[in-house]
Amino acid sequence: MSDSGELAAILRAWRERLTPHMAGLPANTARRTKGLRREELAVLAGVSVDYIVRLEQGRASAPSAQVCAALAQALQLGDTEQEHLFRLAGHATDGGRISRLVPASIRRLVERTGERPMAVFDAMWNLLLWNRLWATLAGDPSQVREADRNLLWLHFTGTSDCHLYGPGSAEALDASLVADLRRSTGRYPDDAQLRQLVARLDETSPRFRELWQRHEIAEHGPTIKRVVRSEVGTLDLDCDILTTQRQDQRILMYTAEPGSESDSKLALLATIGTQHMMDGSIQ
């Protein structure tokens, strides 16, 4: 259960303590409020101003885990504060549920690693956090509804802008992803979102259903991915996966062999992404 009254009060307090300068925003106009304006927080968190207003007035339903993560990032919350936010919103991870709380140190790592595509996923492969180059390479996740920001959903439904291939057979890559998801169902038996994802995939993808029925359990590890982008063509990239110990989250980073054609294409994509940001094409 969420505590809307406490959540409303603490969100206002956190917003008012964060100055525009701390958030990287200009502050050259007269301001009637302490800290950030609601409009500024809405932009930083990628939500509507109306939703921020309703949250701060205790009139909105509890924010989703993804929205909590976005608010925590925008408000620059520490780990203890972020954990408190998740609990107030009803996303406590006790009782065998997956953590969607991204530690502040991991957020900083992703934000400051701009030369390589990097993203953070939870234990069921929900996308929680990404940098600008990840959005350029794999498609802007902010344009995808929250329920569909899942690596397996995008992979098995074919709705991703980024086409991935393993170094071996496509079947081996598919099986590795499904076996990893089944491993998570054993670790987090009470996570309702995880059960819903499995049900959606089982209903939508015959390929997933076939692999799920094998009951294989494994950990999806680093591999080589072939990414096809219309702007630059094909890139062969190393995909390294780091797992956080406390939250059981996966940090994915794509890199290319230095001096290779793929390395040059990745640098070109970084330039394209920067131009799109300046043009307002990517929010």
Side-chain angles (χ1 to χ4, degrees):
M1 297 293 292
S2 63
D3 186 338
S4 59
E6 174 65 13
L7 179 62
I10 204 165
L11 283 176
R12 288 195 300 270
W14 283 337
R15 175 174 60 82
E16 291 173 354
R17 77 178 184 187
L18 188 65
T19 66
H21 176 74
M22 293 168 62
L25 298 174
N28 52 4
T29 58
R31 306 180 69 86
R32 298 170 54 190
T33 182
K34 295 188 298 182
L36 293 182
R37 298 187 178 103
R38 287 168 172 166
E39 295 84 354
E40 292 167 333
L41 175 58
V43 170
L44 291 171
V47 298
S48 70
V49 179
D50 178 67
Y51 187 61
I52 295 294
V53 171
R54 288 187 288 116
L55 276 176
E56 291 192 357
Q57 293 178 348
R59 298 187 292 110
S61 58
S64 67
Q66 289 86 350
V67 170
C68 284
L71 288 170
Q73 182 179 8
L75 293 166
Q76 301 181 13
L77 303 185
D79 291 348
T80 302
E81 293 172 330
Q82 188 178 185
E83 184 176 357
H84 188 63
L85 169 62
F86 272 69
R87 287 186 177 277
L88 289 177
H91 302 299
T93 57
D94 306 298
R97 289 193 288 173
I98 293 172
S99 173
R100 276 100 191 174
L101 186 157
V102 181
S105 58
I106 301 300
R107 291 205 310 269
R108 289 194 297 270
L109 174 66
V110 174
E111 292 165 359
R112 297 176 182 178
T113 307
E115 296 181 354
R116 298 291 179 265
M118 180 181 286
V120 180
F121 295 81
D122 66 18
M124 59 183 279
W125 294 99
N126 281 331
L127 180 58
L128 303 178
L129 181 68
W130 60 90
N131 65 7
R132 184 184 304 174
L133 189 49
W134 178 278
T136 304
L137 178 70
D140 185 7
S142 67
Q143 303 303 312
V144 180
R145 66 173 188 151
E146 288 183 10
D148 294 342
R149 293 178 197 170
N150 178 275
L151 183 64
L152 278 86
W153 178 258
L154 295 173
H155 181 78
F156 283 101
T157 61
T159 54
S160 174
D161 291 333
C162 176
H163 306 286
L164 305 180
Y165 305 88
S169 67
E171 179 178 350
L173 176 63
D174 292 352
S176 176
L177 289 169
V178 174
D180 188 282
L181 189 67
R182 183 172 283 282
R183 174 175 175 265
S184 291
T185 62
R187 295 167 65 92
Y188 305 99
D190 299 324
D191 193 274
Q193 287 192 36
L194 178 52
R195 293 195 300 270
Q196 292 167 4
L197 173 65
V198 172
R200 288 180 69 204
L201 285 167
D202 185 79
E203 180 180 357
T204 306
S205 171
R207 177 62 178 155
F208 174 86
R209 188 183 315 118
E210 173 193 349
L211 292 169
W212 189 255
Q213 291 172 354
R214 294 183 186 180
H215 293 271
E216 295 177 349
I217 298 176
E219 183 177 3
H220 183 62
T223 184
I224 299 173
K225 299 290 178 66
R226 178 162 293 170
V227 183
V228 181
R229 291 297 307 179
S230 59
E231 301 92 335
V232 298
T234 301
L235 301 88
D236 290 312
L237 304 172
D238 292 319
C239 177
D240 292 303
I241 304 175
L242 307 176
T243 303
T244 64
Q245 186 173 12
R246 183 179 177 186
Q247 273 78 25
D248 193 19
Q249 292 170 352
R250 294 84 188 276
I251 306 171
L252 268 65
M253 176 185 285
Y254 290 120
T255 59
E257 182 179 351
S260 66
E261 183 178 357
S262 292
D263 192 37
S264 298
K265 290 179 178 179
L266 196 59
L268 178 57
L269 274 178
T271 302
I272 293 172
T274 300
Q275 291 174 345
H276 284 181
M277 288 291 292
M278 294 175 63
D279 294 340
S281 301
I282 299 177
Q283 302 299 322

